[in-house]
Amino acid sequence: MTDALVLGLGALAVLVFLIAIRIPIAYAMILVGGVGTMMLNGPALVLSQLKTLAYGQFSIYDLSVVPMFVLMGAIASKIGLSQALFRGANAWLGWMRGGTAMAAIAGCAGFGAVCGSSLATASTMGKVALPELRRYNYSGALATGTLAAGGVLGILIPPSVVLIIYAVIVEANIVTMFMAAFLPGILAVVMFLLTIAVYVAIKPASGPKGGVASSTEFVEATVGMIPVLVIFGLVIGGIYFGFFNPTPAAAVGVFLVLFFGLVQRKLSRTDFVAALKETAGTSGMIYLIILGAELLKIFMSRVGLPQETAAWIAGSGLEPMTVLIILLIALIFLGCLMDSLSMILLVIPFFWPVLVEINGGIYQGADGAGFGMSTDDLKIWFGILALIVVELGLITPPVGMNVFVISSLARDTPMIETFKGVVPFFGAEVLRVILLVSFPAITLWLPQVLR
Amino acid sequence: MPDETQQGGSGLAGAASLVITAWALLGGLLLLAVVGVNMVSIIGSIFGKPFPGDFELTEMGVAVAVFAFLPYCQLVGANVSADIFTSGASKRTIAFFTLLGSLVALGFASLLIWRMYFGMLDQKEYDYTTTILQIPHWIAFIPILVSLALLAVAAVVTLLRDASALAKG
């Protein structure tokens, strides 16, 4: 092993230590990346890079969609879209056994279509749906479990901030990634609905039928979903069909949520200021991690750690599928300890070169490739798989953030009940990952058709 | 979730918090302005009059806005950390760890003020401008340096807060 590699491994250990003692992940990466490169090549290089590195990173055009989608989601959660969605979905599904929980899932999916964050989706829909679920005597486990799991749809259904960041790291096309996420997202919704159906079939008392909506109520509730359909259709539809690039599309999204909020008089000044503050906190946090990840990447590729790891695993004789499964399990495990965004930024620069190496290089076509698909397709497929598994950390102990958020809204249900309620949905997610791994076409078909 | 009550405080720290929050809100308005530029560009291209330079205005605007968000992130503790490993530690120990975090933030802000000031001078000396609208890049560095100075202030505020928590035990 070379001295550089030893330095790289040592730096990795220090990084883990710093993260473990609550140094913000972004600053831990900045510190280790910066100091590491200084130790390797002397301070002059880093000092001169720092003159423009941060400005360069923050002005990457592809990333400009991130704060806009964050702002769009922040405003969307203040203007009553979630009520309208839930009411509409409940008019359609509420008459069934477990129907109100299904409506909550459908509402989460709809809200996920205008918001790229899991936590925001869980808390916004939770506030709306939990009182209704209680009114219909749903069991605490099913009600809270449904909403904690449903929140994951916020990230899985485009727009998704984590997916944008992934695309920027591996240099994939954001539009293609958004297309690829669509069918797996729909699959998640269908499987969650089926999960509820099975759950209430086994435990009928946990999810009683709601009333049938009157025809006026039905029409009114359905009409109420139109704003979300318009926003999703114009923003994501516009991206899919190539009307505009993601950034202008996100701008349209911000404009539309502001427009609906102001026209329906649902956006107060306090809400607006709160939305701006939320955007500031979230976007600043994301960009700082991006800067840290860049500094770390510069250091790590100088010591050659990702390349060495990739060569080592590729030479180990493991089957490509075995390696993929190991990486996905590692992501699930790490996702239980860390938030998904920092994890994607931290580990994808290590994991992706491994997969490229195994597949046969960056320009590998489908013929003779390790995974039987071109590296470009692998990039898309792995991105979607990674997105799903890192999000599983949101609903598993010890740091299931979605569960925490829902628990804080439903204080009468013990958190352990919520974790129990989440288990069937977790099972559905694992099944979905198996399906997506076995049939890459579910992910890759739509981008091929629309391209 | 950042605790809103942490923002207040008396005297200098309270005043600093207000300025930092206001600066972040200005950044938010700048982001909205970027949204506006993109809307104008879309509407313009529908009527066959595309707005040149929307790309570079977006890049520059978002960069300046994001820098303006950084002090606020430090102030309200929006920068994510992994709390799971130390969830059993005493309040004192945790206050010590967050104090270390504030120190790193302070060091980072000071280093970047120094380096990006020279970065600005470089941009000025070599006359770097955006491609289409010919906006000099160094202009963007002025609000960015203000943001970094406020980030240093925010780090001092959180540092003092952590230190007093540590002293109280």
Side-chain angles (χ1 to χ4, degrees):
Chain A
M1 223 185 322
T2 62
D3 285 351
L5 269 187
V6 174
L7 181 65
L9 287 173
L12 211 53
V14 173
L15 180 71
V16 171
F17 174 74
L18 289 177
I19 290 174
I21 63 163
R22 288 192 191 218
I23 303 295
I25 295 170
Y27 283 125
M29 294 200 264
I30 289 171
L31 197 61
V32 170
V35 174
T37 315
M38 282 188 190
M39 287 170 73
L40 189 70
N41 300 108
L45 177 83
V46 180
L47 289 181
S48 101
Q49 273 181 332
L50 281 180
K51 284 184 188 176
T52 51
L53 184 74
Y55 181 67
Q57 286 292 306
F58 290 7
S59 57
I60 293 174
Y61 184 76
D62 275 353
L63 283 176
S64 63
V65 290
V66 172
M68 289 193 203
F69 274 137
V70 171
L71 181 60
M72 173 179 162
I75 297 173
S77 60
K78 311 253 185 284
I79 59 171
L81 290 182
S82 46
Q83 278 95 333
L85 276 169
F86 177 71
R87 201 168 145 225
N90 203 29
W92 284 72
L93 301 166
W95 55 273
M96 277 188 278
R97 187 175 282 155
T100 312
M102 292 179 185
I105 290 291
C108 285
F111 196 72
V114 292
C115 174
S117 144
S118 270
L119 290 180
T121 305
S123 70
T124 319
M125 277 317 289
K127 275 174 213 154
V128 177
L130 279 173
E132 290 295 305
L133 289 164
R134 189 169 306 145
R135 196 156 68 89
Y136 291 113
N137 285 321
Y138 274 62
S139 77
L142 180 60
T144 55
T146 300
L147 282 159
V152 175
L153 297 173
I155 286 249
L156 297 179
I157 294 180
S160 158
V161 171
V162 177
L163 204 55
I164 297 166
I165 304 286
Y166 172 85
V168 172
I169 305 176
V170 302
E171 294 172 358
N173 185 325
I174 293 177
V175 179
T176 317
M177 291 309 300
F178 273 11
M179 290 172 181
F182 188 73
L183 283 183
I186 299 292
L187 183 65
V189 178
V190 172
M191 288 178 71
F192 280 0
L193 294 181
L194 287 176
T195 306
I196 296 173
V198 173
Y199 193 104
V200 292
I202 298 170
K203 288 185 182 173
S206 60
K209 291 178 191 177
V212 178
S214 71
S215 56
T216 38
E217 158 68 14
F218 185 81
V219 172
E220 224 173 83
T222 309
V223 170
M225 295 195 285
I226 288 176
V228 175
L229 282 177
V230 170
I231 296 171
F232 183 73
L234 275 175
V235 176
I236 303 300
I239 295 177
Y240 282 174
F241 294 104
F243 293 142
F244 22 63
N245 290 326
T247 300
V252 171
V254 173
F255 174 78
L256 286 175
V257 287
L258 267 177
F259 177 78
F260 280 119
L262 292 176
V263 166
Q264 301 181 334
R265 296 179 172 278
K266 284 201 176 128
L267 187 67
S268 68
R269 200 148 88 182
T270 337
D271 283 345
F272 179 66
V273 171
L276 285 186
K277 281 186 185 174
E278 210 178 298
T279 308
T282 310
S283 314
M285 179 263 300
I286 294 174
Y287 272 78
L288 200 61
I289 299 178
I290 290 171
L291 177 63
E294 182 64 21
L295 275 165
L296 194 65
K297 200 173 88 184
I298 291 172
F299 167 63
M300 285 300 176
S301 58
R302 280 179 170 268
V303 298
L305 201 55
Q307 300 91 313
E308 284 292 324
T309 324
W312 175 65
I313 294 183
S316 68
L318 287 172
E319 285 293 310
M321 272 302 173
T322 318
V323 175
L324 179 77
I325 290 165
I326 294 173
L327 294 187
L328 290 179
I329 291 175
L331 281 173
I332 295 184
F333 177 72
L334 288 169
C336 295
L337 304 175
M338 253 197 213
D339 90 297
S340 44
L341 194 89
S342 13
M343 197 177 64
I344 287 273
L345 276 161
L346 199 56
V347 303
I348 294 300
F350 285 91
F351 285 10
W352 177 239
V354 172
L355 292 173
V356 173
E357 188 77 27
I358 296 177
N359 203 45
I362 303 178
Y363 303 109
Q364 180 71 43
D367 293 330
F371 287 97
M373 62 176 79
S374 69
T375 300
D376 277 341
D377 281 347
L378 179 67
K379 200 181 262 183
I380 302 167
W381 185 52
F382 180 65
I384 301 300
L385 292 173
L387 176 73
I388 298 170
V389 297
V390 297
E391 287 311 315
L392 286 182
L394 288 171
I395 52 171
T396 45
V399 243
M401 283 308 295
N402 277 10
V403 174
F404 293 175
V405 167
I406 293 300
S407 279
S408 69
L409 293 175
R411 296 211 177 269
D412 52 341
T413 307
M415 198 182 290
I416 186 80
E417 283 298 308
T418 308
F419 273 119
K420 274 187 204 161
V422 158
V423 171
F425 295 100
F426 185 84
E429 282 294 85
V430 173
L431 186 62
R432 188 162 69 104
V433 172
I434 294 172
L435 280 174
L436 294 178
V437 169
S438 318
F439 305 101
I442 304 173
T443 311
L444 299 174
W445 180 75
L446 196 63
Q448 270 160 13
V449 172
L450 287 173
R451 209 175 273 162
Chain B
M1 275 282 115
D3 185 358
E4 291 282 333
T5 55
Q6 286 182 354
Q7 283 182 51
S10 55
L12 275 179
S17 305
L18 271 181
V19 172
I20 287 165
T21 309
W23 187 249
L25 289 176
L26 277 179
L29 292 180
L30 176 60
L31 184 62
L32 278 174
V34 172
V35 167
V37 166
N38 277 278
M39 288 304 292
V40 169
S41 166
I42 292 169
I43 294 167
S45 59
I46 291 174
F47 294 104
K49 280 189 183 168
F51 176 57
D54 56 339
F55 258 62
E56 50 197 49
L57 282 178
T58 302
E59 288 178 349
M60 197 180 258
V62 167
V64 171
V66 168
F67 272 103
F69 296 158
L70 295 183
Y72 180 74
C73 286
Q74 177 64 26
L75 185 72
V76 299
N79 291 315
V80 284
S81 56
D83 300 344
I84 178 70
F85 306 98
T86 47
S87 53
S90 72
K91 267 191 177 163
R92 232 190 126 98
T93 322
I94 289 173
F96 175 69
F97 291 150
T98 41
L99 184 135
L100 286 184
S102 300
L103 269 179
V104 177
L106 182 59
F108 169 75
S110 317
L111 183 69
L112 268 199
I113 292 171
W114 172 42
R115 293 323 302 166
M116 287 190 76
Y117 174 71
F118 284 100
M120 178 177 76
L121 296 186
D122 281 2
Q123 303 279 338
K124 217 170 161 178
E125 194 181 326
Y126 299 117
D127 274 334
Y128 286 133
T129 61
T130 62
T131 338
I132 297 168
L133 299 176
Q134 304 278 315
I135 306 167
H137 274 295
W138 67 266
I139 288 183
F141 279 59
I142 296 172
I144 290 174
L145 285 170
V146 175
S147 298
L148 289 172
L150 285 176
L151 175 59
V153 173
V156 171
V157 171
T158 55
L159 192 69
L160 293 175
R161 194 158 67 202
D162 301 333
S164 81
L166 198 62
K168 276 180 211 154

